[in-house]
Structures are given as structure tokens and as C-alpha cells.
Amino acid sequence: MMITGKTTLAGIIGFPIAHSLSPVMHNAAFAELGLDWNFVPFPVHPDRLAEAVAGLSALGVAGFNVTIPHKVAVMPLLDEVSDEARLIGAVNTVVVREGRLTGHNTDGIGLVAALREKLSFSPAGRSVLVVGAGGAGRSAVASLALSGATRVEIANRSVEKASDLCLSLAPRLPGCSLGAVSLERLADPGYLAGFDLLVNTTSVGMKDDSLPGLSLAGLKEGFAVYDMVYAPPVTPLMKEAARHGIASANGLGMLVAQGEAAFYLWTGVRPPKGCMERALTAYHSLGKP
Ligand code: ATR
């Protein structure tokens, strides 16, 4: 695609940024739709975040994604933040319109879309065990509860962090019963049997490591596993699920779905179905990380 005087720019800020797959996904969708848009990675040092955000707005960028370490720090720099992003406590997508900056969070929408598309799972009325209580855990708990899950428990290595997350979210999610447990509970099949879905939001699995003690033996039919890890594509948790005949999916679907939702917020157009996922798969098959 040729950049012209009319090209609209979007991008992503983070530090570091070289590993980001968002440029691959968004530029593929712009090209497939024939939109005169371009998506650029911007390495923004934390000390220069405020300058960068003001600069992007001044330069007429239509919107940008926000990634580590800026997802929380960017919030006070925006004119408006959506209710869901405020609940999640982080922004991953900013829309710029007439100089006004609005923050959104599409990670939660991405998780729920990936559960539907990859596992035919709807959170409404279901019980979910979320492993991890960091930023990804928080967005998972909030989006599952907003999508109608009636019970969400958070298992975390540091149980205090899981309890803090419950205390902070519970008053704002009245329709959902929240609880916190230590990671050791994952070794108790009787405990796991009370849930319909397990979501791993930690980085465990990226280095071929496993959640300690976890066994998925003897769970009820229909139990599903979602692992936010996507490299390796078949994670240790997915292998454990397969051993027991349990359906599972990796985090690629969520990565794609959060990107699709951001694309729609910026352009008002849905990216062609499968386009972003195909672009990522093609990029990986070139041997890129
Ligand atoms: P993110 O924003 O991606 O969620 P984070 O805020 O650093 O990242 O949170 C990482 C999560 O992964 C935490 O829940 C962390 O557990 P602790 O709160 O006990 O640190 C969890 N985590 C990371 N490495 C882990 C490991 N080896 N075993 C168990 N949990 C791990």
C-alpha cells in the first residue's frame, strides 16, 4: 500500500514494542479492505508518555493501541475513559476524534469473543476459575462477570493479591459471586469440578512450564480450558486438557479479537473475518516469533 497525503495513521505505543503483532494484524486488514490507513509501532519510553500522547493527538493520528508498560499510566492523560476500561483499570485502545482522546479496553471483549468462537462457550450463568491476579486476570474477571458469569474465583500464587482483586471488583460486579483461593487448590479435583471453565491469565506455559499440581482428571463433560498463552501454540495446559478429553484453546483468538474490536472502534468497519488471524499465522510461518 502506498502512503499518500490522504493516508490515515493509527499505531501502538509500548516499551519495548518490537515484539508487537498488532502492526501485522491491522495492516493486513487495512490492505484487504483497501482502506488508505497505516499502522505504525511507536517505542515510547515511560518518561515521555505524556509528550507522546499529546504528540499523537497533535499529529492527527486516528487512534492507537496501548501496551506494556503504559496501560494504566495512560489513563489520566485521556479526556474520557469507557466504563469497562475504568472497571478493568487499564486502557489498551485510544480513539482520537477532533483532538479528544477516549480510552477503551478491548481485552475483555476479546476474551469473551474468543471463548465463543474457539470453545462455543458463553459465560452467562456459568462458574469460572481464573488463574492469575495481574492486569490480565483483572480484565478476565471483569469481562466474564459483565458477560453474565454468576461465579468467578481467582486462584493466585500470592493469595493476598487475589483477595485484593476481589475486594476491589466485588462492589462493582453485584451479579457475580467472587472468591480468592491459593494456587494449591488447583490440585484438588473436587474443587475444580465445581467450575465450567478454567482461564489461565499468567505467563506460566510460555517456557514449557506448568501450573504446579494441576490435574484435569475426572471433570464433568463440557468443562473447557482457555489459555491466554499462545507461544508455544499448543501450551502445556492445553496438552493436559487433551489428555483428559477437555476442549481447550490458546490465546491467539483473544489477541485477534481484541485487535478486531480496536479496528472497529477506529474505522467503524469490521475487519474481514479471519483476515487478522491469517496474517498472524502467515507471519509465524515465516519463522518470526
Ligand atoms: P499481567 O498484567 O500480564 O497479568 P502481571 O501483573 O505481572 O502481568 O501478573 C502476572 C500474574 O502471573 C500474577 O498473577 C502472577 O502471580 P503473583 O501475583 O503471585 O506474582 C502470575 N505468575 C507469574 N509467574 C508465575 C509462576 N511461575 N507461577 C504462578 N503464577 C505466576
Side-chain angles (χ1 to χ4, degrees), residues 5-96:
K6 298 194 188 78
T7 303
T8 304
L9 211 57
I12 179 164
I13 57 172
F15 200 82
I17 200 64
H19 65 282
S20 173
L21 297 170
S22 295
V24 173
M25 298 195 296
H26 289 287
N27 285 319
F30 292 147
E32 201 165 312
L33 286 168
L35 288 184
D36 188 8
W37 283 58
N38 220 283
F39 189 98
V40 184
F42 297 111
V44 173
H45 189 277
D47 291 347
R48 308 200 65 182
L49 179 64
E51 279 172 87
V53 169
L56 286 168
S57 170
L59 289 167
V61 163
F64 52 94
N65 278 140
V66 182
T67 189
I68 294 165
H70 304 316
K71 285 183 172 190
V72 178
V74 78
M75 294 176 76
L77 305 172
L78 306 175
D79 298 299
E80 217 177 310
V81 173
S82 75
D83 289 345
E84 184 163 358
R86 206 168 281 292
L87 182 65
I88 291 171
V91 158
N92 80 332
T93 301
V94 176
V95 175
V96 188

Side-chain angles (χ1 to χ4, degrees), residues 201-265:
T201 74
T202 75
S203 52
V204 174
M206 285 184 186
K207 297 179 184 140
D208 215 28
D209 47 347
S210 300
L211 292 165
L214 175 74
S215 165
L216 298 175
L219 294 171
K220 67 182 168 203
E221 189 153 336
F223 189 94
V225 167
Y226 194 79
D227 195 348
M228 285 194 190
V229 174
Y230 56 82
V234 182
T235 67
L237 177 58
M238 291 169 71
K239 286 183 187 160
E240 169 66 12
R243 259 194 294 279
H244 299 287
I246 290 169
S248 69
N250 69 21
L252 201 67
M254 178 176 164
L255 175 70
V256 167
Q258 66 74 31
E260 290 172 339
F263 187 99
Y264 181 69
L265 284 171

Side-chain angles (χ1 to χ4, degrees), residues 36 72 101 118 122 133 139 154 162 254 270:
D36 188 8
V72 178
L101 297 148
K118 305 291 178 187
S122 162
S139 88
I154 306 154
M254 178 176 164
R270 298 267 176 215

Side-chain angles (χ1 to χ4, degrees), residues 110-185:
L111 171 63
V112 173
L115 292 175
R116 184 181 61 236
E117 281 165 28
K118 305 291 178 187
L119 296 169
S120 304
F121 183 94
S122 162
R126 316 295 281 279
S127 294
V128 185
L129 181 58
V130 171
V131 184
R138 186 180 174 101
S139 88
V141 173
S143 60
L144 289 162
L146 290 176
S147 301
T150 40
R151 175 176 168 233
V152 177
E153 298 219 349
I154 306 154
N156 199 48
R157 182 172 56 183
S158 133
V159 73
E160 296 76 26
K161 209 165 148 187
S163 304
D164 289 348
L165 184 50
C166 283
L167 287 174
S168 135
L169 285 178
R172 291 185 267 177
L173 297 169
C176 182
S177 140
L178 296 183
V181 296
S182 73
L183 218 50
E184 282 84 68
R185 294 303 298 273

